[in-house]
Each structure stands twice: as structure tokens, then as C-alpha cells.
Amino acid sequence: MYAMKEVVLTGLRANGELHLGSYLGAMLPMVALQKEHAGDRQINMFVPDLHSITTPIEYTELQSNILRNLKMFIAAGLDIADESTYLYRQSQISAHSELAWILDCFTYVGEASRMVEFKEKSERIGNDTVSVALFNYPVLMAADILLYGAVWVPVGEDQRQHIELTRDLAQRLNNKFGELLVVPHETSKQVEFAGRDQALRIRSLSNPEQKMSKSISDPRGTILLTDDPADAAKKVMSATTDSVGAIHYDFKTQPGISNLIQILAVLSDRPALEVAKEWEGKTSYGELKQAVADKLQAFLSEFQTKLANVDEAALNDKLASSEAAMRTVANETLLRVQTAVGLR
């Protein structure tokens, strides 16, 4: 029932173009997580492609997007040669869907209805067209976690409610049928394990009140990892700032300027407050923009060279071996639950 090592589980985005905010706020922390814990813990890095179709997407592009985004994680430093890291696609292991259905049968409509992320997304989409799958998303997420006995699931604040639902479901089944499932650690411990209370939030260059996001039609404000480096530098030079006239690191009063300092700091691998101190009180916004533009252009050039050199055959081999190993683990958990509820 229990893995030899503690299992850390995290998801690698399957669809949509990855941008600078994705890289700095999600990809680098995942790579750091692997470097810190690989060897002493089992690292499950999976592609949640079933979650990708809970809302309408370009379905014909999903497969190519999965491969492209996996390559980007490798270019960002993910080590697929590490033997304690497993890289697999959710849809390739049918136990995810099968366990989700059983968990559905023990999930109450009231507790599912309280999921904040569903409420927010359904309001944006429109209640008449929102899918049942979006409502059911947290139960499938619970299956993703419980199939592998994962105790550590480092997620953003918007997903922490789902971790609590996962814990509730595991405890509910354990109370009814005995020790079936490993219960993940509670939210406070998850936050401590991740080493940060909130994820880094990179803002749009054109509207620094919003986060950088490809889901918003914001070509001037979003730096895609596939952008031409020179074009990306131009976006920085035309970034929205303010009329204060002096540089201060304060997201409330100067979000545009503060966003540029934050980007410069992370790309320089330095603390934001340290970089901010060097620019404090200076009056040349253009000088700051140029420093960020130069650093960004150099970063994208190096990153895109690494991306072009990713070994696709090695990636496919890693997926095949990991999926075979994880299919065995997941099927064992599924069989145990199926037997408990009388399906086997």
C-alpha cells in the first residue's frame, strides 16, 4: 500500500502556450523541487491532460502541445534521467478515470459545490455552458493524488481547497472500509513543504493590475517563451508604468515598475528586495526597462537554444517507462478500492 519513499506529486501543464509568468512562477519551482527532493523522495510529475478538456480547447492541438510543453520543462532544467522521477500522462493510465468515478460515489454535492475555483470559472464561462467535468475536476484531482499514495502535493492557493477535499475523501473511505488510501498531509504542512506561502505572480506588461496570462487576449503584455527575443525586448520597453517619476518597489502604488523589478530579480537569480534597493529613488524608467529587456533577451535566446536541443527520443522513452511503472502502482490501488466496494 505504501511507497518505499514518500511521494511528491505535481502536474505539468498540458495545453496552452507557456509564458514568462509560467516559467518564473511554476516551472522553476518544479525544477527546484526535483533538485531538492529527488533521491530521498519519489517525484511524480504528471501531465493532467484529462483536466485539459474540462473547458473547450483546440482539441486537434492537444497532443502537440503536450509534447512541446514537456520539452519546455526539460529546457527549464527538469532532469528526466533521474530514476526517482516519474513523468507520465494522466490519460495513459485508465485508473485515474476509474477511481474518480468511485470517489464520485462518496463525494457529497454540497461539498463539491463549495469549491471556489469552480464558482469562479463557471461565472466566467457562463452557467448555461459550463461542463459537469469542470464541477467534477476536484474529484479527479483527488484520484490523481490517492492512486500513488502521495503525501506531498505542492499547489497554489487556488488548489488548496482541493487538497482538503482529497483528505476528506481518503479519510471517509478509510473509516468505512479500513486503511485503503494514504491521506495527504494537511494544507499548513503542504505550504511549509513548498517553502512559500504564495506563488510568484508575474503581471501583464500592458496591464500590471492583472497577472500575465495567455488566457487573456493580451499580446503586448505577455512574453511567450517562443517569442522572438528582440520582439520580447520591445514589449518590455513599451511596458505600462506610471507618472510617479521615481522608482519604488511597491505593488500597490507602482505595480508596473515593481513587476519589472521582480522580473529582473528572478532572471538574475537574486532577491527582489536586493535588486529593488539598487533602483530605489532613481528617476529613469527607461534605464530600468532597458536592464530588464537586455536580461530577458539573453534569457530567451539561451532558453530557446536549449529547447531546440531537447532529445525527443529520450523524452518518449521516459514517458513509456514511467507510464508502465505508474500503471502498475495505480492499478494496485484501484483494485484494492474496487474490492472494498464490492466491484471485485
Side-chain angles (χ1 to χ4, degrees):
M1 174 177 175
Y2 296 95
M4 293 295 291
K5 299 178 181 178
E6 285 188 333
V7 177
V8 182
L9 183 139
T10 188
L12 308 182
R13 186 174 173 179
N15 61 298
E17 286 208 63
L18 297 173
H19 50 75
L20 184 66
S22 311
Y23 178 84
L24 300 179
M27 297 169 73
L28 285 187
M30 284 190 189
V31 170
L33 180 147
Q34 184 195 40
K35 289 179 179 178
E36 181 178 357
H37 298 293
D40 62 318
R41 290 182 170 93
Q42 177 179 310
I43 313 294
N44 283 23
M45 293 188 163
F46 80 109
V47 179
D49 48 355
L50 292 174
H51 290 296
S52 298
I53 58 174
T54 56
T55 54
I57 61 168
E58 292 295 335
Y59 302 101
T60 58
E61 298 176 5
L62 180 56
Q63 282 302 306
S64 60
N65 285 345
I66 290 171
L67 191 62
R68 179 200 63 203
N69 287 358
L70 283 172
K71 288 180 178 179
M72 285 190 173
F73 276 95
I74 295 170
L78 184 66
D79 180 11
I80 61 172
D82 176 65
E83 293 183 354
S84 60
T85 297
Y86 294 87
L87 191 65
Y88 56 97
R89 292 160 293 189
Q90 179 189 39
S91 66
Q92 299 296 313
I93 301 173
S94 60
H96 285 256
S97 303
E98 295 185 61
L99 181 59
W101 178 258
I102 296 175
L103 294 178
D104 272 336
C105 299
F106 293 89
T107 304
Y108 308 139
V109 172
E111 63 188 345
S113 300
R114 289 193 291 271
M115 298 295 108
V116 174
E117 190 182 27
F118 170 75
K119 292 179 181 179
E120 293 176 348
K121 285 187 175 181
S122 59
E123 286 175 3
R124 290 200 300 268
I125 296 170
N127 289 326
D128 291 339
T129 57
V130 68
S131 71
V132 173
L134 187 62
F135 181 75
N136 194 44
Y137 178 110
V139 182
L140 178 57
M141 182 173 169
D144 299 334
I145 298 166
L146 297 175
L147 280 171
Y148 306 99
V151 292
W152 300 114
V153 191
V155 295
E157 188 174 355
D158 59 337
Q159 298 285 320
R160 289 174 192 162
Q161 194 180 23
H162 299 171
I163 301 299
E164 290 308 309
L165 176 64
T166 301
R167 285 172 47 81
D168 290 343
L169 289 172
Q171 290 167 345
R172 189 170 300 158
L173 268 70
N174 286 351
N175 289 338
K176 191 171 184 65
F177 300 108
E179 293 300 309
L180 279 180
L181 300 164
V182 177
V183 181
H185 290 305
E186 61 188 23
T187 301
S188 60
K189 290 184 178 180
Q190 299 287 354
V191 172
E192 184 179 351
F193 176 79
R196 53 182 182 159
D197 185 41
Q198 293 184 328
L200 182 68
R201 187 171 182 261
I202 302 298
R203 314 289 185 93
S204 161
L205 295 176
S206 63
N207 183 0
E209 298 295 338
Q210 296 180 340
K211 70 176 183 178
M212 186 177 289
S213 174
K214 191 63 177 70
S215 62
I216 299 172
S217 181
D218 185 23
R220 292 189 307 110
T222 301
I223 303 293
L224 298 178
L225 294 178
T226 52
D227 274 350
D228 178 89
D231 291 341
K234 290 177 183 177
K235 290 182 183 181
V236 172
M237 296 305 296
S238 62
T240 298
T241 51
D242 54 62
S243 57
V244 174
I247 295 172
H248 304 289
Y249 187 58
D250 186 337
F251 275 100
K252 289 185 178 179
T253 59
Q254 293 187 273
I257 286 293
S258 301
N259 190 45
L260 291 174
I261 290 174
Q262 181 174 247
I263 291 171
L264 180 60
V266 182
L267 290 178
S268 304
D269 195 23
R270 297 172 61 197
L273 290 177
E274 180 181 299
V275 174
K277 188 175 181 180
E278 295 176 356
W279 291 91
E280 177 65 27
K282 291 185 178 181
T283 57
S284 177
Y285 288 8
E287 186 180 349
L288 174 61
K289 287 183 175 181
Q290 190 63 61
V292 178
D294 291 345
K295 182 66 70 172
L296 177 64
Q297 189 165 351
F299 157 71
L300 283 178
S301 296
E302 182 180 0
F303 178 81
Q304 290 171 9
T305 298
K306 291 178 180 177
L307 183 61
N309 291 326
V310 170
D311 187 338
E312 187 170 326
L315 169 57
N316 286 325
D317 287 345
K318 180 67 172 182
L319 286 170
S321 62
S322 293
E323 285 164 1
M326 292 298 97
R327 195 173 289 118
T328 298
V329 174
N331 285 342
E332 288 175 356
T333 302
L334 177 63
L335 178 60
R336 193 165 60 246
V337 176
Q338 288 172 327
T339 301
V341 301
L343 294 173
R344 295 290 184 274

